[in-house]
Amino acid sequence: MQPGLQRGAPARRRVKRYEALAARVQGMIQAGTLPAGERLTSVRRMSRQQGVSVSTVTAAYRLLEARGLIEARPQSGYFVRASRCHRVPAPRVSRPSSRARVPQVWEVAQQLAEAARSDALVPLGNADPPDALLPAAGLMRRLRGLGREATRAVNYGNPLGEIELRTQIARRMLQAGCTLDAGDLLITHGCFEAVQLALRATCQPGDAVAVESPVHFILLQMLQVLGLKVVELPAHPRTGLDVDALAPLLERRRVRAVLCTPVFHNPLGAVIPPPRLRELVRLCATHEVPLIEDDVYGELGFGLERPPVAKAYDPDGWVLHCSSFSKTICPGFRVGWIAPGRFADAVRRVKFVTNFVTATPLQLALSAFLRDGAYERAVRRASRSYATTALRCRDAVARHFPSGTTVSDPQGGMVLWVGLPEGVDGAALYASALEAGISVVPGHMFSAQGRFRNYVRLAFPHPWSDALGAAVAELGRLATGLLPS
Amino acid sequence: MQPGLQRGAPARRRVKRYEALAARVQGMIQAGTLPAGERLTSVRRMSRQQGVSVSTVTAAYRLLEARGLIEARPQSGYFVRASRCHRVPAPRVSRPSSRARVPQVWEVAQQLAEAARSDALVPLGNADPPDALLPAAGLMRRLRGLGREATRAVNYGNPLGEIELRTQIARRMLQAGCTLDAGDLLITHGCFEAVQLALRATCQPGDAVAVESPVHFILLQMLQVLGLKVVELPAHPRTGLDVDALAPLLERRRVRAVLCTPVFHNPLGAVIPPPRLRELVRLCATHEVPLIEDDVYGELGFGLERPPVAKAYDPDGWVLHCSSFSKTICPGFRVGWIAPGRFADAVRRVKFVTNFVTATPLQLALSAFLRDGAYERAVRRASRSYATTALRCRDAVARHFPSGTTVSDPQGGMVLWVGLPEGVDGAALYASALEAGISVVPGHMFSAQGRFRNYVRLAFPHPWSDALGAAVAELGRLATGLLPS
């Protein structure tokens, strides 16, 4: 199915000089090498030292300023801001029970999703890209450009999806370490449909599926409706799924499939490091258990490199890789894809009886959007915005939440996982936040076992603003008010 | 869910004068009142008699000529053609076994669908609208017109579907006798997705579903992949499902749902008459069994009135009505709908975990297309073409197929159901037709019991042409060659 796969390290995306410089300085700040209050090397000197232009250094410093890491002081230059981030510890590694359970989250999840969507609330609940970051005009221009292909656009297309789009996606996936071609891909109505097809193609109702703990509640909703049980596995806030904990489950044939988000996990923002990820794929292949990979956030990294996906280490096709354009450029187009590996026939069957094929015109417009580089620009613009907001949001949590709070350090995506001090209930914070006009998601939603009761998830899709800052401060005050006396 | 429903008879669609006149004359020809060879009343006299203009009569006669019912003879006027149609009997009512079976049609159906799609064949296999009948330019114009709503078009829309489109569909469904409103509808990625959601919302794997015999093989494929069994019910070639045969099944709780195509059944072209349809709905409601109605061909009638659908007689919401724009104007848009009645919550759940919502921009373009009347024009144009081709194709079968052949008399849609004389194998005819460069579908595909071995289905989506005529003649020769000696 996918010959000659899995050779290389992930391709480096073309990074502008100022971004690279900013990333290096940011690394030094975060490591504490450049402590709070430290004056940065002047623009001219940095330019000479690094052999780059003055405007490159200026752009890099401006980017770090936008991220809230440094501040300009009149006549004095740039200084490292007094961030409290490094003093807030990460949440602990989760330790869920390994019993299989039927998720029962539907009703609450629907209500929360409803609440998270309300326009009247400060939006820290919903993790969907805001209008401001979607390249709407450009996409509609590509759609208008289909006039010459009108007949093709309104009739049924290729059952696998339009070849132009599959080709563009295969090329793009090189950056994630995959050497697929168009024939390895099937276009779907979004990533969620891809994951659903993968589950229906590999599991029967009553089967158990292994997931990370915490796990996005929307996946729990899907598992519930499909009649599947879940086994939750420990996950590290920075390195994701605990692969060692999976091995005994597979040995005892306790799960039928593994459903996992190796890159920019929601809600942790974790990335499984390449050696562990390779080991995860090897383990699944050894036990002949399908690994369903949800990579919907994979393009939204804050760093210079696109982390490799599980599919990059999958010579035998046990990985069903799922993704879409819904978190990057066009949720409303409902276009995603699956690279189903050895399960291609079964996935095609389920896709066929679900809705035959995916809508033609949107695929054609998207392939043009990818081909001419507009996609790359839109994704980079969005990722830059999320990277900045992540730092600002994290800093605001560090400043305003009570002592004892823990917070994740996401490497991509648009969510923060916040652990509240002992005795503070996430659902209580959710409720008082809602009264104060702020939407968040309580932590217990992210487990079929009702775990994470002292957590909340903050989503930060919107560009940082004073209103968001004030809302995080208010959340901190509310959390403080909930401390047991 | 649907208050104040089910009052009226179906609304009469606005019919042009010449169409009404042509329909009356056609009725007289088909009833034998005007026999073959009869000279029609002259245009001028008909104009005086009917109190319509000369051009109206001319248009009516031209339409009947296009349908192959009359022919112009120089200096003599119009004459009824020597059609053999009325001499070919209809196929018999089916008498399937009432045992529940797991359909096993996937592989063959896929191969056939593949073969039916080949561009190299004379297309009598596939029942999809041809490019020539799709209003591609008009639809793309509406899509281009979305520029002002670009942001809305690329982001997630309403989980039920865009309100404008649901409103237009509800208005349109008045013609089929339904008084629904937008809140009763959920937009899906096509009718097939709607049917799939209905089945998943009402049945569990292993359950049995009642269907007409014959039944479109694509529904058998869906039932097979969903792990459902089928019980086949007798169906009349003109009046469809034998409702009396259903009653004992429901009484003995042998089926979990009924899946049925009351209007323009594929392959029969049958329509369940309103009193029987009302009885069918009543029966299902009494036994609390959901009735899943596939109305995807409902707009493609040859007559003056749009037959009412089961949903028109459903005060208690036991009917899940499914349809789409895929057989009328835009298969590639993948937009359909379901009116799920009392199963709305369950259907929404399954839709949510399938792909959240349906693509936004296509819904917006379609609502504009319906609103300004372009849909009505496109559907009428297509139906007229199918009505003409149906007569021509049926006439050609009557002329060229061996004695002992039976043929359906479809009232809408784009397929003919042809029974071959005793001893002629439909699969053998399929195979020799394929060799002769003609695609048809063998009858045994339309049953999970392998019935209808001496049937073939001819689809006639394409406007009638000499090539189609020659292909039907060739099929007749091939069938004759297969007669037992």
Side-chain angles (χ1 to χ4, degrees), chain B residues 33-303:
Chain B
T33 313
L34 292 172
E38 181 88 0
R39 185 166 180 269
L40 289 189
T41 310
S42 78
V43 169
R44 293 200 172 274
R45 175 179 278 180
M46 185 66 110
S47 153
R48 279 198 306 278
Q49 284 177 354
Q50 300 287 323
V52 297
S53 72
V54 166
S55 64
T56 297
V57 181
T58 307
Y61 282 11
R62 291 230 171 100
L63 182 57
L64 293 169
E65 191 180 15
R67 289 182 181 169
L69 287 167
I70 64 174
E71 58 191 17
R73 291 188 198 153
Q75 262 85 54
S76 317
Y78 283 97
F79 291 79
V80 177
R81 280 186 79 203
S83 167
R84 291 182 49 182
C85 280
H86 57 281
R87 277 187 268 154
V88 184
R92 277 176 302 178
V93 175
S94 60
R95 293 271 165 252
S97 139
S98 67
R99 235 187 74 205
R101 304 199 189 214
V102 180
Q104 301 287 352
V105 297
W106 180 269
E107 298 297 342
V108 190
Q110 285 295 97
Q111 288 161 20
L112 291 180
E114 211 60 30
R117 256 195 290 273
S118 164
D119 284 343
L121 299 173
V122 184
L124 290 163
N126 214 13
D128 290 320
D131 288 347
L133 291 178
L134 299 177
L139 283 163
M140 295 311 282
R141 201 157 53 239
R142 303 313 185 288
L143 214 43
R144 280 200 296 277
L146 297 183
R148 277 158 298 154
E149 300 187 278
T151 305
R152 178 178 174 202
V154 303
N155 218 330
Y156 285 124
N158 186 312
L160 293 179
E162 298 312 301
I163 181 80
E164 296 95 324
L165 180 60
R166 285 184 286 127
T167 302
Q168 289 300 325
I169 292 170
R171 293 177 59 151
R172 182 83 197 169
M173 284 180 68
L174 252 180
Q175 295 197 3
C178 302
T179 50
L180 303 174
D181 61 36
D184 299 319
L185 297 168
L186 172 76
I187 303 295
T188 63
H189 285 113
C191 181
F192 209 51
E193 180 172 292
V195 172
Q196 190 235 199
L197 299 177
L199 285 168
R200 288 173 66 198
T202 57
C203 300
Q204 296 294 321
D207 285 344
V209 175
V211 299
E212 295 115 332
S213 182
V215 57
H216 190 359
F217 58 85
I218 218 161
L219 295 175
L220 291 177
Q221 287 181 276
M222 185 192 286
L223 293 161
Q224 178 179 352
V225 174
L226 294 180
L228 296 166
K229 295 184 196 136
V230 297
V231 177
E232 295 178 40
L233 290 170
H236 186 282
R238 210 170 159 86
T239 58
L241 183 72
D242 181 348
V243 177
D244 295 338
L246 177 63
L249 282 184
L250 297 182
E251 270 151 32
R252 280 181 266 138
R253 309 196 164 280
R254 294 260 322 274
V255 296
R256 178 75 65 168
V258 177
L259 169 57
C260 165
T261 308
V263 177
F264 314 136
H265 178 270
N266 183 343
L268 295 175
V271 175
I272 304 182
R276 255 170 94 169
L277 192 54
R278 190 189 292 268
E279 171 60 16
L280 171 63
V281 178
R282 197 199 56 75
L283 201 61
C284 287
T286 303
H287 294 283
E288 305 193 340
V289 169
L291 171 59
I292 301 169
E293 170 172 57
D294 176 2
D295 190 49
V296 75
Y297 314 102
E299 295 277 62
L300 302 178
F302 305 157

Side-chain angles (χ1 to χ4, degrees), chain A residues 106-107 131 134 151 154-155 189 192-193 196 200 226 330-332 334 349 352-357 359-360, chain B residues 106-107 131 134 140 151 154-155 189 192-193 196 200 226 330-332 334 349 352 354-357 359-360:
Chain A
W106 181 268
E107 298 298 342
D131 289 347
L134 299 178
T151 306
V154 302
N155 218 330
H189 285 113
F192 209 51
E193 180 172 293
Q196 190 233 199
R200 288 174 65 198
L226 294 180
C330 52
R334 313 306 306 120
R349 281 190 185 214
F352 181 86
V353 305
T354 300
N355 44 40
F356 293 139
V357 294
T360 319
Chain B
W106 180 269
E107 298 297 342
D131 288 347
L134 299 177
M140 295 311 282
T151 305
V154 303
N155 218 330
H189 285 113
F192 209 51
E193 180 172 292
Q196 190 235 199
R200 288 173 66 198
L226 294 180
C330 52
R334 313 307 306 119
R349 278 187 188 218
F352 181 86
T354 299
N355 45 41
F356 293 138
V357 293
T360 319

Side-chain angles (χ1 to χ4, degrees), chain A residues 106-189:
Chain A
W106 181 268
E107 298 298 342
V108 190
Q110 284 297 95
Q111 287 160 21
L112 291 179
E114 212 60 29
R117 259 195 289 274
S118 165
D119 284 343
L121 299 173
V122 184
L124 290 164
N126 214 12
D128 289 321
D131 289 347
L133 291 178
L134 299 178
L139 283 163
M140 295 311 281
R141 202 157 52 238
R142 302 315 185 288
L143 213 43
R144 282 200 296 277
L146 296 183
R148 278 158 297 154
E149 300 187 278
T151 306
R152 178 179 174 201
V154 302
N155 218 330
Y156 285 125
N158 187 314
L160 293 179
E162 299 311 300
I163 181 81
E164 295 93 325
L165 180 59
R166 285 183 286 128
T167 303
Q168 289 300 323
I169 292 170
R171 291 176 60 152
R172 182 81 196 171
M173 285 181 66
L174 254 178
Q175 295 195 4
C178 301
T179 50
L180 303 174
D181 60 35
D184 300 318
L185 296 167
L186 172 75
I187 304 294
T188 63
H189 285 113

Side-chain angles (χ1 to χ4, degrees), chain A residues 138-406:
Chain A
L139 283 163
M140 295 311 281
R141 202 157 52 238
R142 302 315 185 288
L143 213 43
R144 282 200 296 277
L146 296 183
R148 278 158 297 154
E149 300 187 278
T151 306
R152 178 179 174 201
V154 302
N155 218 330
Y156 285 125
N158 187 314
L160 293 179
E162 299 311 300
I163 181 81
E164 295 93 325
L165 180 59
R166 285 183 286 128
T167 303
Q168 289 300 323
I169 292 170
R171 291 176 60 152
R172 182 81 196 171
M173 285 181 66
L174 254 178
Q175 295 195 4
C178 301
T179 50
L180 303 174
D181 60 35
D184 300 318
L185 296 167
L186 172 75
I187 304 294
T188 63
H189 285 113
C191 181
F192 209 51
E193 180 172 293
V195 172
Q196 190 233 199
L197 298 176
L199 285 168
R200 288 174 65 198
T202 57
C203 300
Q204 298 293 321
D207 285 344
V209 175
V211 299
E212 295 114 333
S213 184
V215 57
H216 190 358
F217 57 86
I218 217 159
L219 295 174
L220 291 177
Q221 287 181 276
M222 184 191 286
L223 292 161
Q224 178 180 353
V225 174
L226 294 180
L228 296 167
K229 296 185 195 134
V230 297
V231 177
E232 295 177 39
L233 291 170
H236 186 280
R238 209 169 158 86
T239 58
L241 183 72
D242 180 348
V243 178
D244 295 338
L246 176 63
L249 281 185
L250 297 182
E251 268 152 33
R252 281 180 266 138
R253 308 196 163 282
R254 295 260 321 276
V255 295
R256 178 75 65 170
V258 177
L259 169 55
C260 165
T261 307
V263 177
F264 313 137
H265 177 271
N266 183 343
L268 295 174
V271 175
I272 305 183
R276 253 170 95 170
L277 191 54
R278 189 189 291 267
E279 171 60 15
L280 170 63
V281 179
R282 197 198 57 74
L283 200 62
C284 287
T286 302
H287 294 282
E288 304 193 341
V289 169
L291 171 59
I292 301 169
E293 170 173 57
D294 176 2
D295 190 48
V296 75
Y297 315 101
E299 296 276 60
L300 301 178
F302 305 156
L304 300 182
E305 277 183 15
R306 206 299 193 191
V309 294
K311 192 72 190 168
Y313 307 114
D314 181 39
D316 299 320
W318 288 94
V319 175
L320 299 99
H321 174 94
C322 304
S323 193
S324 82
F325 298 107
S326 301
K327 297 290 179 189
T328 49
I329 55 169
C330 52
F333 275 26
R334 313 306 306 120
V335 178
W337 63 92
I338 182 168
R342 59 169 59 219
F343 302 96
D345 284 346
V347 168
R348 276 181 216 173
R349 281 190 185 214
V350 186
K351 171 65 181 174
F352 181 86
V353 305
T354 300
N355 44 40
F356 293 139
V357 294
T358 299
T360 319
L362 306 179
Q363 293 185 59
L364 295 176
L366 275 169
S367 72
F369 198 77
L370 266 85
R371 195 171 44 239
D372 65 17
Y375 174 74
E376 167 68 27
R377 287 191 295 276
V379 166
R380 195 190 285 214
R381 170 166 160 260
S383 302
R384 256 201 310 261
S385 174
Y386 298 139
T388 298
T389 317
L391 284 167
R392 291 302 196 97
C393 193
R394 204 165 169 270
D395 188 49
V397 168
R399 284 174 197 277
H400 299 291
F401 273 59
S403 153
T405 296
T406 60

